[in-house]
């Protein structure tokens, strides 16, 4: 039995790794300038070409950012689903991404109006503050309501409030600030540079390592708080750690790429279905790889489907992610029935 599980896990990781490699090459090839696989490999090997700048300065930073941020958003969703013990919990649905968007918008408009351009670290801190504000309200409500459906509705309402405040502030902003904020708020991986990639890599991989360290108490927590306490898990501290890690990951995504919908809900469910398990030690790396694959695929469509017009990444992820969430809820309802 254990050997069968190991084989299933190996097959699952192999599928995700193969898809990731295909999409990495495809994203490097596709665009306004179509390049052959051979030319891309020669450029990556260090050979000079007239298209070298396209690969090294535009496409490679963008696809690395899409892979890392997609993985981060998926892991963030899995942490929230573990925390609330519900598969439809996620940064976007619970209003966490909207809270991050609101604070980043306020900070951007305030400083851009004074001619100050903020760095990556400042945007991450602002997004984290917004995430924690929304999460604080969610936690307050979770202590008052017993049904998860009411908590999800409350999260959606918090998201609407944050979006309304953002729209109100934008109404009174300067035209140039509105353009900058609009491009960011639609969700996009465009405009990424190597400084952005280095910053997000440091944040994402540190959080991912810390998440791995929580995999054992997370597995115990999935079986119930009482069971986890009996195994020596400090449940209160553990819940705080889950919230902080999830908020930092989702804040990093929002700060660099804007709000991205449904990745944090759909991908963890697909990964758990692929591996047929919810074990954190298996699902966490699977979620990261799955989120990277999902966002690379959606970004490829966003860039090429209606070229030269580029779609917002959140629109594309919603097209593919929302049906998965609907199917998941119907499947759960049928199984319970």
């Amino acid at each position: 039995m254990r050997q069968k599980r190991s084989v299933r896990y190996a097959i699952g990781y192999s599928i995700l790794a193969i898809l990731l490699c295909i999409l990495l090459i495809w994203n490097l090839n596709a665009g306004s300038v179509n390049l052959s696989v051979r030319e891309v490999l020669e450029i990556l090997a260090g050979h000079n070409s007239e298209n070298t700048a396209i690969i090294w300065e535009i496409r490679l930073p963008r696809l690395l950012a899409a892979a890392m941020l997609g993985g981060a958003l998926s892991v963030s969703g899995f942490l929230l689903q573990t925390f609330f013990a519900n598969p439809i919990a996620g940064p976007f649905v619970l209003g966490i991404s909207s809270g991050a968007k609101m604070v980043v918008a306020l900070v951007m408009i305030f400083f851009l109006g004074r001619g100050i351009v903020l760095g990556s670290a400042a945007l991450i801190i602002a997004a984290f503050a917004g995430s924690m504000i929304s999460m604080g309200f969610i936690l307050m409500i979770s202590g008052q309501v017993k049904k998860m459906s009411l908590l999800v509705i409350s999260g959606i309402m918090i998201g609407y409030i944050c979006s309304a405040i953002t729209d109100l502030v934008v109404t009174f902003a300067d035209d140039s600030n509105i353009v900058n904020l609009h491009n960011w708020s639609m969700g996009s991986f465009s405009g990424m540079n190597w400084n952005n990639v280095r910053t997000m890599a440091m944040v994402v991989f540190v959080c991912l390592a810390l998440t791995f360290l929580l995999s054992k108490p997370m597995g115990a927590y999935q079986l119930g708080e009482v069971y986890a306490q009996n195994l020596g898990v400090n449940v209160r501290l553990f819940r705080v750690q889950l919230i902080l890690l999830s908020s930092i990951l989702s804040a990093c995504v929002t700060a660099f790429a804007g709000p991205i919908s449904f990745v944090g809900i759909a991908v963890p469910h697909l990964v758990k279905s692929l591996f047929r398990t919810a074990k954190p030690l298996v699902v966490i790396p699977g979620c990261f790889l799955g989120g990277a694959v999902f966002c690379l695929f959606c970004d490829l469509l966003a860039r090429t489907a209606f070229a030269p017009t580029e779609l917002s990444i959140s629109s594309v992820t919603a097209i593919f992610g929302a049906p998965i969430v609907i199917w998941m809820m119907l499947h759960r309802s049928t199984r319970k029935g």
Side-chain angles (χ1 to χ4, degrees):
M1 189 68 180
R2 182 177 297 179
Q3 187 177 5
K4 288 183 178 180
R5 285 199 300 265
S6 299
V7 171
R8 186 168 66 243
Y9 299 159
I11 292 173
Y13 287 129
S14 298
I15 291 172
L16 292 175
I18 291 170
L19 289 174
L20 183 61
C21 291
I22 292 172
L23 285 167
L24 286 173
I25 296 172
W26 198 352
N27 272 269
L28 284 174
N29 294 348
S32 56
V33 177
N34 289 317
L35 305 175
S36 66
V37 175
R38 180 179 178 180
E39 185 176 1
V40 169
L41 293 177
E42 287 177 349
I43 292 173
L44 293 177
H47 297 288
N48 289 326
S49 168
E50 60 181 5
N51 297 316
T52 298
I54 294 176
I55 295 295
W56 282 104
E57 303 301 328
I58 299 175
R59 292 185 186 176
L60 195 55
R62 176 170 182 155
L63 71 89
L64 290 176
M68 281 190 289
L69 296 181
L73 197 56
S74 178
V75 173
S76 174
F78 175 68
L79 294 178
L80 287 176
Q81 290 169 12
T82 301
F83 182 89
F84 290 107
N86 192 286
I88 61 172
F92 193 82
V93 171
L94 293 179
I96 298 171
S97 295
S98 297
K101 173 185 173 182
M102 177 187 70
V103 175
V104 171
L106 293 172
V107 170
M108 284 178 65
I109 289 175
F110 179 80
F111 284 98
L112 287 175
R114 289 156 178 76
I116 302 173
V117 179
L118 296 175
S120 302
L123 291 179
I124 292 175
I125 292 171
F128 175 71
S131 298
M132 292 307 297
I133 290 172
S134 294
M135 180 56 73
F137 282 110
I138 291 295
L139 292 176
M140 289 172 57
I141 294 170
S142 66
Q144 304 297 321
V145 299
K146 300 300 180 183
K147 292 184 178 180
M148 176 54 68
S149 58
L150 295 177
L151 185 64
V152 171
I153 292 172
S154 300
I156 293 172
M157 294 303 104
I158 289 173
Y160 276 122
I161 293 171
C162 292
S163 297
I165 294 173
T166 305
D167 293 340
L168 184 64
V169 172
V170 168
T171 303
F172 297 99
D174 295 334
D175 290 341
S176 59
N177 294 343
I178 292 175
V179 172
N180 291 329
L181 182 60
H182 177 74
N183 293 336
W184 168 83
S185 65
M186 292 298 291
S188 176
F189 295 119
S190 64
M192 296 293 178
N193 56 51
W194 286 107
N195 288 331
N196 297 147
V197 171
R198 281 190 288 268
T199 303
M200 70 179 68
M202 182 175 62
V203 174
V204 169
F205 288 117
V206 168
C207 289
L208 196 63
L210 294 174
T211 303
F212 265 114
L213 295 177
L214 292 178
S215 59
K216 189 173 181 179
M218 205 181 301
Y221 184 81
Q222 287 176 336
L223 298 175
E225 290 188 19
V226 175
Y227 182 82
Q229 286 175 338
N230 290 336
L231 290 181
V233 178
N234 186 335
V235 173
R236 181 173 295 181
L237 176 62
F238 172 74
R239 288 165 64 92
V240 170
Q241 291 169 333
L242 278 187
I243 290 301
L244 288 176
L245 287 173
S246 177
S247 296
I248 293 172
L249 287 170
S250 61
C252 183
V253 176
T254 306
F256 285 106
I260 301 176
S261 60
F262 290 102
V263 178
I265 306 176
V267 174
H269 175 71
L270 291 175
V271 169
K272 285 183 281 189
S273 298
L274 175 64
F275 289 102
R276 298 180 189 175
T277 183
K279 291 181 179 178
L281 198 61
V282 177
V283 175
I284 290 170
C287 279
F288 188 82
L289 289 173
V293 168
F294 189 79
C295 280
L296 282 172
F297 173 71
C298 290
D299 188 47
L300 180 66
L301 290 182
R303 290 192 299 114
T304 60
F306 299 99
T309 302
E310 182 173 324
L311 303 175
S312 73
I313 187 65
S314 194
S315 299
V316 182
T317 56
I319 290 173
F320 291 97
I324 294 172
V325 176
I326 294 171
W327 174 79
M328 176 184 64
M329 290 189 294
L330 292 174
H331 179 70
R332 282 172 59 85
S333 177
T334 303
R335 189 171 58 184
K336 286 181 178 179

